[in-house]
Every structure is written in C-alpha cells, then in structure tokens.
Amino acid sequence: MVRAEQFVGAAGPVVAASRLSGTAGDRFSGTARGPRAAHIRAGRRYPRGTALTGSVTARRGVPPVAPRWVGPVLLGLGLAMIPWVVYLHTSLPATAEAPHWAWAWTGLDVLEALGLGATGLLLRRGDARASLTAMAASALLVVDAWFDTMTAAPGADLASAVAMALCAEIPLAAACALLAWRGFPRTR
C-alpha cells in the first residue's frame, strides 16, 4: 500500500510530514489513491456537497456515504418512533391469531439461511461484502431469538426457545457480528 509520505504524482510529492499551513499534507494523511486523491494532491477542496468541511471524511479523503441531511433525518425518525412504540405496547392485545403463522416463521428461517450461506460463500471467495451479509444474518438471528422467546408458550416450549436462543442463535449472531466488524473496510 502506498502511503502519502511516499507518493509522487503529477502534482509533485505529497509530504505529510511537512506540516506547513495550507499544504496537501495537512489535508491528507491516508493512502494516495482513489478518485478524490488528485484533488487532495493538488491542494484543492472537494466539489461542493461531497464532504462536510472539516469532517473526518474530508480530512481523510473518503467520499461521504450519504448526503449531509440524511443523518439528522434518520435520527429524527428514530426519535419519532419512541411515542409510537409506547402506543403500540399499551394498545395491542395480549394475544392475536395470525393466519400465516407457519409462513412467517419459515420465511424468517429462510432469510437466516440465505444470510449465513451468502456470508460463507463471500468469505470463501475473499469478498469484503461478506461483512454486509454477516451483519444482516446477525440481525436476523437476534430477531429470531427474540420472537422465539416472546411468542413461546410457558413451560417446555419456553424452555426450548430460551435454550435455542442461548446455545445457538445468540452465539451465532455474535459470531456474525464479529465477522462483520472485522471484515468492514477501514480508512486510515
């Protein structure tokens, strides 16, 4: 991997060690590759709207994942769901009949199998996208453990659901989450 201290491009050498105000080294301390590296080497700012001024992504030369407004909107939506959750918890009946009960559980288990299988296949190929499927599989396994234990009848059914959650679903979800964490690409 080529470091910024070693890179010599069309704009000349990029020396991160020279901390003179306004040099390319102040704005870039990661690797010298990618579509935005030329802007950084030339000492230019990004085009308007591509990164937050002064943000970590702007300093590292990493393009933003989403526009600036997406974060606050998602945060607001998450906070707006709190009253909805309270309303649901207090207004829903204690029991309900679901006409497609078997299909709901079968579908959840099929999605888990697809997530685990895709993760295994991508890991075998050395594909970094395995971290995405591993995180999805982890979330599905946690959901399965939650709904298994919350919908189980008292007695042997509940004991079986708790045992399955503690011995299989939660450990496998944790392993998938660890795989996702370790496999997620990081910037320097």
Side-chain angles (χ1 to χ4, degrees), residues 67-151:
R68 178 185 301 198
W69 57 269
V70 173
V73 167
L74 291 176
L75 179 62
L77 290 172
L79 292 173
M81 284 190 68
I82 294 171
W84 175 249
V85 169
V86 171
Y87 168 75
L88 282 179
H89 185 73
T90 57
S91 66
L92 286 176
T95 61
E97 187 175 322
H100 303 292
W101 186 254
W103 281 108
W105 285 108
T106 305
L108 180 60
D109 286 344
V110 165
L111 289 173
E112 290 173 18
L114 288 173
L116 293 170
T119 301
L121 182 64
L122 291 170
L123 283 173
R124 185 174 173 168
R125 292 180 176 177
D127 195 328
R129 292 175 291 182
S131 62
L132 300 174
T133 58
M135 200 64 236
S138 176
L140 288 168
L141 286 161
V142 169
V143 167
D144 192 11
W146 176 262
F147 282 105
D148 276 346
T149 55
M150 292 294 112
T151 60

Side-chain angles (χ1 to χ4, degrees), residues 32-54:
R33 57 181 205 195
R36 307 214 185 268
H39 283 288
I40 296 166
R41 286 192 303 274
R44 295 189 303 256
R45 292 183 178 262
Y46 295 136
R48 182 170 170 78
T50 58
L52 301 175
T53 305

